[in-house]
Amino acid sequence: MKRVFTLGILIIICFVLQTALFPYIEIAGTAPDLMLILTVSFGLMRGRKEGMLVGFFCGFLYDLYFGYAIGPFMILYMILGYCNGFFHRLYLVEDVLLPMLIILIDDLFFNFATYIIFFLLRNRLEFSIYLKNIILPEMIYTALITLFTFKFFVFVNKTLKRLEKANE
């Protein structure tokens, strides 16, 4: 129960930071995707099921705030959380390179899927402009923010594991 409550609070905090604070600290017109970092982090640390659940709630909030319909971002975040859960066995707590590499790949996939859903289907075919002005700066910015936030999420996960063991 503590894990569910803590994850709910983390999702809400990340959502508020992403929607209220990060638009004011944009670099090159883009802001980092903290919800993606949270989904990837818990997918890596806890496995497919928890990565998918965190992705579901992150995507649901994202759809409520940014989307025109409920579902597209929710499905994208769920897929990313589930797929990152496959790397759970490869993940080492001290390793920062694997999460950063996965964040880069996931951010590329997320933004490419966003381009397809929201731009390509509306016959906006300027992918090179979208790649240069949105995808690449956001990938770099999100990867840099991952250096700091991932360590915090690891700390939260370790604390939750200790509390779960103490309650057994």
Side-chain angles (χ1 to χ4, degrees):
M1 190 65 187
K2 288 179 184 179
R3 174 170 291 283
V4 173
F5 181 74
T6 305
L7 282 176
I9 296 295
L10 272 177
I11 290 170
I12 291 170
I13 289 171
C14 288
F15 177 73
V16 168
L17 285 174
Q18 185 166 335
T19 57
L21 177 66
F22 285 179
Y24 294 107
I25 57 171
E26 288 181 345
I27 295 177
T30 61
D33 193 346
L34 198 56
M35 304 291 272
L36 181 67
I37 297 171
L38 180 68
T39 302
V40 169
S41 298
F42 279 91
L44 276 175
M45 291 185 287
R46 302 294 296 175
R48 294 178 298 215
K49 183 179 174 185
E50 194 157 330
M52 187 173 65
L53 288 173
V54 170
F56 172 82
F57 289 108
C58 287
F60 181 72
L61 283 175
Y62 205 90
D63 276 334
L64 283 178
Y65 189 75
F66 292 111
Y68 300 104
I70 295 178
F73 291 113
M74 187 171 54
I75 291 170
L76 282 173
Y77 278 110
M78 281 176 53
I79 290 170
L80 291 173
Y82 184 79
C83 291
N84 290 320
F86 285 109
F87 296 104
H88 173 65
R89 302 265 186 239
L90 301 174
Y91 167 71
L92 300 171
V93 177
E94 302 83 25
D95 190 18
V96 180
L97 186 61
L98 179 65
M100 283 192 57
L101 181 63
I102 290 174
I103 284 286
L104 287 170
I105 293 168
D106 286 351
D107 204 359
L108 178 66
F109 172 78
F110 179 80
N111 282 311
F112 184 70
T114 302
Y115 169 76
I116 290 172
I117 294 169
F118 294 104
F119 295 101
L120 188 63
L121 294 178
R122 293 183 183 167
N123 204 22
R124 295 184 182 166
L125 305 174
E126 304 89 15
F127 180 71
S128 61
I129 295 170
Y130 188 76
L131 177 70
K132 184 181 81 172
N133 294 334
I134 295 174
I135 295 176
L136 292 178
E138 185 179 315
M139 284 174 57
I140 294 167
Y141 199 7
T142 302
L144 291 174
I145 295 296
T146 301
L147 288 172
F148 306 106
T149 56
F150 188 76
K151 293 293 185 184
F152 174 71
F153 294 148
V154 167
F155 170 75
V156 169
N157 187 48
K158 283 182 180 180
T159 306
L160 289 172
K161 279 185 178 181
R162 265 189 261 127
L163 289 174
E164 288 171 355
K165 285 183 182 182
N167 289 337
E168 289 179 358

